[in-house]
């Protein structure tokens, strides 16, 4: 039986299945009626694998020193009860009534690096020729050779708990973020503080930052924390329309005000009455429109094109721009009085290049978003992909990262995004210089193929717990060939 247990341990990679198979062998070879592997998690023993247990006992936990199992875990000594039916410590044990003859209980400790990590126990029928001491010695051997697997099970559970705890903390942190903003770096924390300060008021906010940094998301976050969150939120991109249409879109027009004006049109300023008006790329407004906007900002009054009627609109103004307004003022392309009226509470959105700590957080956020959009189940990023994401300069900021992750999710063939799923622009960190063998920041085919091979071998080794032979079989390579490739690529199995 020891040989069979050893064979299971060598070939089975899933620890939980391994423990179940060991119990199967004990059932087949020793006539085990009931058996459990318990593992020490903190100061309690919980059942990790079992055979023959009633449903009510499968989730049972023991404290150190409690009962026979707890006593074995406390002392590190095996314990034998020759007849469960006559032992006063088991008066009402569930399942005893189904045993027709004498049944013994044997419990042995699991040692890993001379520390107790759990127990192995069985109920087995007693025959005239049964030798319980010999059975206990056999169980101790089985426990000894399965202890490494049991320790790995504890480690996996601990890692899972750590990941769940980290995920919970991150979600709590994200839940505290205003609106749908994602990021926990120092720069974003300052922005969250500014948003909470200005949102409850009706003060005009000027949001500045490069294209793709999330200026409109920030504007929406301000609105969600304001007293106007249930009122209209109207947006107008001043750079998206021809100059002669911006004024009409903003203030509206009367019928016949110009060629093509066949009916009265309500402008965005009027639509936003009682709510918030967000003007994106305000630096692209013409000087003529800037004059009328200044009046609206100061007096909250305006007139439609083609009308002398003065209208009033109770709106809160949020504006955004990616242009240097100070330079525009020097060139007389932006009015100073409008600038000072807008610049009451400026907020600067940082480039993604200075938010290195948020890149992976944003990447995971976009992976979840794209999983829902495309019905995929991507769960993570390979180390090479992580390295590329965190060292790239992101000139397109968050928008570029979102597009990058959308492409990666679409091209991924497994549950992991690899470096070769990322766009070519990320393949090498050109702003840090070319990799070995590359000229002018561009990688030749040989270098790309070497990195691709390194990724394939590394992932195969991870899936096979560092077992080089198993990784070689998975990739169709002989042990000698995979050892040669690993040496050439400087890959260490550990």
């Amino acid at each position: 039986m020891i040989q069979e247990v050893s064979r299971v341990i060598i070939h089975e990679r899933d620890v939980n299945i391994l423990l179940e198979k060991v119990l199967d062998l004990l059932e087949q070879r020793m006539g085990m009626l009931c058996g459990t592997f318990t593992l020490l998690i903190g100061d309690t023993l919980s059942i990790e694998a079992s055979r023959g247990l009633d449903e009510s006992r499968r989730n049972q936990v023991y404290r150190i020193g409690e009962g026979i199992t707890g006593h074995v875990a406390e002392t590190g000594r095996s314990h034998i009860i020759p007849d469960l039916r006559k032992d006063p410590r088991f008066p009402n044990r569930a399942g005893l009534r189904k045993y027709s003859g004498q049944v013994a209980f044997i419990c042995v400790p699991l040692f890993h690096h001379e520390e107790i990590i759990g127990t192995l126990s069985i109920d087995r029928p007693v025959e005239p020729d049964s030798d319980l001491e010999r059975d206990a010695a056999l169980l101790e051997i089985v426990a000894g050779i399965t202890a490494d697997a049991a320790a790995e099970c504890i480690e996996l559970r601990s890692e899972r708990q750590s990941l769940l705890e980290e995920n919970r903390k991150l979600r709590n942190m994200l839940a505290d973020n205003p609106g749908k903003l994602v990021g926990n770096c120092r720069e974003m924390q300052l922005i969250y503080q500014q948003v909470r300060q200005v949102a409850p008021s009706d003060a005009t906010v000027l949001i500045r930052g490069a294209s793709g940094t999330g200026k409109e998301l920030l504007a929406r976050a301000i609105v969600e924390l304001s007293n106007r969150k249930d009122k209209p939120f109207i947006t107008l991109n001043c750079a998206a329309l021809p100059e002669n249409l911006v004024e009409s879109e903003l203030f509206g027009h009367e019928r016949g005000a110009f060629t093509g004006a066949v009916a009265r049109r309500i402008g965005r300023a009027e639509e936003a009455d009682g709510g918030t008006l967000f003007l994106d790329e305000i630096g692209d407004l013409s000087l003529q429109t800037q004059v009328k906007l200044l009046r609206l900002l100061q007096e909250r009054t305006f007139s439609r094109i083609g009308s002398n009627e003065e209208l009033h609109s109770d709106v809160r103004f949020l504006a955004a721009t990616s242009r240097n307004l100070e330079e525009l003022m020097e060139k007389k392309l932006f009015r100073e009085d409008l600038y000072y009226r807008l610049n009451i509470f400026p907020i600067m959105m940082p480039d993604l290049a200075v938010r290195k700590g948020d890149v992976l957080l944003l990447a995971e956020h976009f992976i979840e978003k794209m999983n829902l959009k495309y019905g995929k189940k991507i769960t993570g990023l390979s180390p090479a992909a992580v390295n590329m994401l965190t060292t790239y300069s992101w000139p397109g900021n968050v928008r570029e990262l979102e597009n990058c992750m959308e492409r990666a999710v679409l091209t991924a063939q497994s549950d992991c995004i690899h470096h070769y799923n990322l766009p070519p622009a990320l393949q090498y960190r050109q702003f840090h210089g070319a990799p070995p063998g590359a000229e002018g920041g561009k990688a030749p085919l040989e270098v790309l193929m070497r990195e691709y091979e390194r990724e394939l071998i590394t992932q195969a080794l991870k899936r096979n717990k560092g077992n080089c032979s198993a990784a070689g079989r998975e990739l169709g390579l002989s042990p000698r060939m995979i050892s040669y490739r690993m040496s050439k690529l400087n890959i260490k199995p550990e």
Side-chain angles (χ1 to χ4, degrees):
M1 187 180 77
I2 299 301
Q3 186 177 4
E4 291 175 301
V5 172
S6 300
R7 191 179 299 118
V8 167
I9 291 173
I10 291 172
H11 292 95
E12 183 54 62
R13 294 296 174 187
D14 189 303
V15 180
N16 296 97
I17 296 176
L18 185 153
L19 297 179
E20 295 283 353
K21 286 185 175 181
V22 171
L23 290 175
D24 286 341
L25 287 173
L26 293 175
E27 185 177 22
Q28 296 166 13
R29 299 291 180 256
M30 295 182 67
M32 180 189 77
L33 301 172
C34 174
T36 62
F37 274 103
T38 66
L39 298 182
L40 184 60
I41 310 295
D43 60 350
T44 60
L45 291 160
S46 60
I47 296 175
E48 186 65 29
S50 66
R51 277 289 181 277
L53 278 190
D54 294 331
E55 190 70 33
S56 59
R57 293 180 56 207
R58 289 177 186 169
N59 295 321
Q60 188 173 351
V61 295
Y62 307 90
R63 294 195 175 277
I64 298 296
E66 178 187 0
I68 302 300
T69 301
H71 179 71
V72 170
E74 181 180 41
T75 62
R77 293 196 297 270
S78 302
H79 201 98
I80 301 172
I81 298 176
D83 194 342
L84 284 175
R85 299 171 302 173
K86 297 179 181 179
D87 195 289
R89 291 167 290 187
F90 298 88
N92 300 310
R93 177 164 173 174
L96 283 179
R97 55 183 175 274
K98 69 183 179 184
Y99 296 156
S100 57
Q102 180 182 349
V103 174
F105 175 76
I106 305 174
C107 184
V108 300
L110 293 174
F111 283 98
H112 182 69
H113 295 162
E114 299 183 355
E115 290 187 3
I116 298 173
I117 61 169
T119 66
L120 167 61
S121 62
I122 66 168
D123 294 357
R124 66 149 302 162
V126 178
E127 305 294 341
D129 60 344
S130 295
D131 186 340
L132 298 181
E133 292 291 343
R134 184 189 62 189
D135 292 342
L138 179 60
L139 275 186
E140 288 175 355
I141 296 173
V142 172
I145 59 178
T146 56
D148 283 343
E152 183 178 345
C153 196
I154 293 175
E155 184 178 347
L156 289 173
R157 180 179 291 191
S158 177
E159 287 179 1
R160 191 182 307 122
Q161 286 299 118
S162 298
L163 288 172
L164 289 173
E165 181 64 18
E166 182 180 355
N167 185 265
R168 183 189 65 79
K169 289 180 179 178
L170 286 174
R171 290 187 181 278
N172 287 341
M173 293 173 73
L174 291 177
D176 292 337
N177 294 352
K180 296 182 179 179
L181 296 170
V182 177
N184 293 311
C185 67
R186 182 173 55 84
E187 292 81 4
M188 291 304 294
Q189 292 296 333
L190 176 60
I191 287 174
Y192 300 154
Q193 181 181 349
Q194 292 175 315
V195 168
R196 294 186 182 97
Q197 288 173 340
V198 76
S201 70
D202 282 337
T204 300
V205 180
L206 177 61
I207 305 170
R208 308 186 67 169
S211 178
T213 52
K215 295 186 292 294
E216 185 172 342
L217 273 181
L218 179 60
R220 293 182 181 276
I222 292 173
V223 172
E224 287 182 20
L225 294 180
S226 74
N227 298 325
R228 299 173 183 254
K229 64 179 179 180
D230 298 321
K231 302 296 177 63
F233 176 66
I234 306 300
T235 66
L236 175 63
N237 190 322
C238 303
L241 295 171
E243 182 180 323
N244 59 337
L245 290 182
V246 172
E247 186 176 343
S248 173
E249 282 291 326
L250 184 55
F251 301 112
H253 61 255
E254 295 289 344
R255 178 181 178 183
F258 51 83
T259 303
V262 296
R264 172 187 286 181
R265 177 183 175 84
I266 301 298
R268 305 292 176 93
E270 198 169 345
E271 285 182 47
D273 187 23
T276 305
L277 177 62
F278 174 58
L279 300 178
D280 198 5
E281 296 301 343
I282 199 167
D284 289 77
L285 284 178
S286 66
L287 287 172
Q288 180 183 349
T289 307
Q290 289 178 34
V291 174
K292 295 186 176 182
L293 177 61
L294 178 62
R295 180 188 172 207
L296 179 60
L297 279 167
Q298 289 178 328
E299 309 295 338
R300 296 298 193 266
T301 59
F302 66 98
S303 297
R304 299 192 193 103
I305 299 175
S307 172
N308 293 323
E309 181 184 0
E310 190 173 89
L311 302 174
H312 177 81
S313 183
D314 175 25
V315 297
R316 181 190 187 172
F317 283 95
L318 304 177
T321 183
S322 59
R323 303 187 67 180
N324 188 323
L325 297 183
E326 291 77 14
E327 284 187 4
L328 292 177
M329 284 193 295
E330 289 180 6
K331 297 176 181 178
K332 306 301 181 183
L333 296 176
F334 200 84
R335 294 179 62 96
E336 285 191 31
D337 47 5
L338 178 59
Y339 171 79
Y340 293 121
R341 179 61 65 175
L342 289 170
N343 201 40
I344 295 172
F345 197 100
I347 299 179
M348 177 62 74
M349 285 294 288
D351 291 349
L352 188 55
V354 300
R355 296 174 55 192
K356 290 299 185 183
D358 287 340
V359 171
L360 292 183
L361 192 62
L362 284 162
E364 291 171 0
H365 168 75
F366 291 134
I367 287 173
E368 289 184 11
K369 179 180 176 181
M370 299 308 163
N371 277 342
L372 292 174
K373 183 176 181 179
Y374 296 112
K376 305 272 277 188
K377 294 182 179 179
I378 307 299
T379 58
L381 297 154
S382 73
V386 168
N387 184 55
M388 289 183 181
L389 290 173
T390 53
T391 55
Y392 183 58
S393 58
W394 299 110
N397 293 298
V398 179
R399 184 182 292 122
E400 183 184 7
L401 175 59
E402 181 175 10
N403 295 339
C404 166
M405 298 319 298
E406 182 170 10
R407 177 191 189 278
V409 168
L410 283 171
T411 58
Q413 298 298 314
S414 64
D415 62 354
C416 180
I417 290 175
H418 299 275
H419 75 278
Y420 47 81
N421 298 125
L422 300 176
L426 273 72
Q427 292 297 320
Y428 282 98
R429 308 184 295 263
Q430 295 185 18
F431 58 93
H432 278 320
E439 298 293 336
K442 295 182 179 180
L445 179 62
E446 181 183 354
V447 177
L448 290 172
M449 291 179 65
R450 185 169 66 241
E451 290 301 313
Y452 182 56
E453 182 181 11
R454 182 197 307 277
E455 178 75 5
L456 289 177
I457 295 176
T458 300
Q459 292 301 319
L461 284 168
K462 285 186 175 182
R463 285 191 294 271
N464 291 279
K465 312 293 185 186
N467 188 318
C468 299
S469 298
R473 286 194 297 271
E474 181 180 318
L475 296 172
L477 299 174
S478 66
R480 185 186 67 81
M481 182 55 69
I482 193 170
S483 295
Y484 168 74
R485 302 306 301 174
M486 286 169 59
S487 176
K488 185 175 181 181
L489 297 169
N490 195 28
I491 298 173
K492 301 183 184 302
E494 60 269 18

